[in-house]
Amino acid sequence: QVQLVESGGGSVQAGGSLRLTCAASPYIGNDLCMGWFRQAPGTEREGVAHIGSSGSRRYAESVGGRFTLSIDNRKNTLYLQMNNLKPEDSAMYYCAGAKCGAWSRALSQFDDYNYWGQGTQVTVSS
């Protein structure tokens, strides 16, 4: 069982930055794929950024060049650095995990994941 706890959300103006944090317990093993999804009111949850157990990364087109994933295995923490934020980035952001085996590519589909955090709200004003 993997538990995920997000933090770092908040309110910023367009063009600003935020860094989301996802703390995993008991640890981020070499068989764990992770990712970030977001969901705005009235919309489906969409994938934002994902990292495979191989270290490969995949980003949604809408955030490419602005969002960056990083992982600190010593701290069992996944980060999402979000720069040049836009109002359309406003949503609840969820950290997700999946036991995917070693050397897996990044997984980008909602159904690929079975561990979820409680979410952290990001609001970007124009």
Side-chain angles (χ1 to χ4, degrees):
Q1 189 75 10
V2 176
Q3 292 185 329
L4 304 172
V5 178
E6 304 97 332
S7 61
S11 297
V12 296
Q13 290 189 330
S17 298
L18 284 172
R19 188 176 77 160
L20 303 185
T21 297
C22 175
S25 62
Y27 59 87
I28 298 177
N30 62 2
D31 61 346
L32 189 67
C33 291
M34 300 187 73
W36 290 95
F37 288 75
R38 66 186 181 187
Q39 187 170 21
T43 68
E44 293 187 352
R45 197 169 295 191
E46 64 170 348
V48 175
H50 313 275
I51 183 167
S53 55
S54 65
S56 66
R57 290 159 169 81
R58 184 170 182 172
Y59 297 92
E61 285 189 15
S62 59
V63 306
R66 299 188 297 122
F67 290 12
T68 303
L69 271 175
S70 61
I71 194 165
D72 186 334
N73 290 95
R74 294 174 301 172
K75 296 183 178 179
N76 297 309
T77 301
L78 178 72
Y79 302 98
L80 183 67
Q81 178 67 41
M82 306 187 296
N83 297 328
N84 190 22
L85 283 161
K86 303 177 180 180
E88 51 263 42
D89 294 318
S90 297
M92 185 72 79
Y93 282 69
Y94 297 91
C95 180
K99 291 286 190 178
C100 56
W103 298 107
S104 173
R105 59 176 175 81
L107 304 177
S108 61
Q109 301 302 309
F110 175 86
D111 290 341
D112 291 329
Y113 292 88
N114 50 3
Y115 301 112
W116 294 89
Q118 81 289 350
T120 185
Q121 180 67 40
V122 171
T123 303
V124 184
S125 58
S126 57

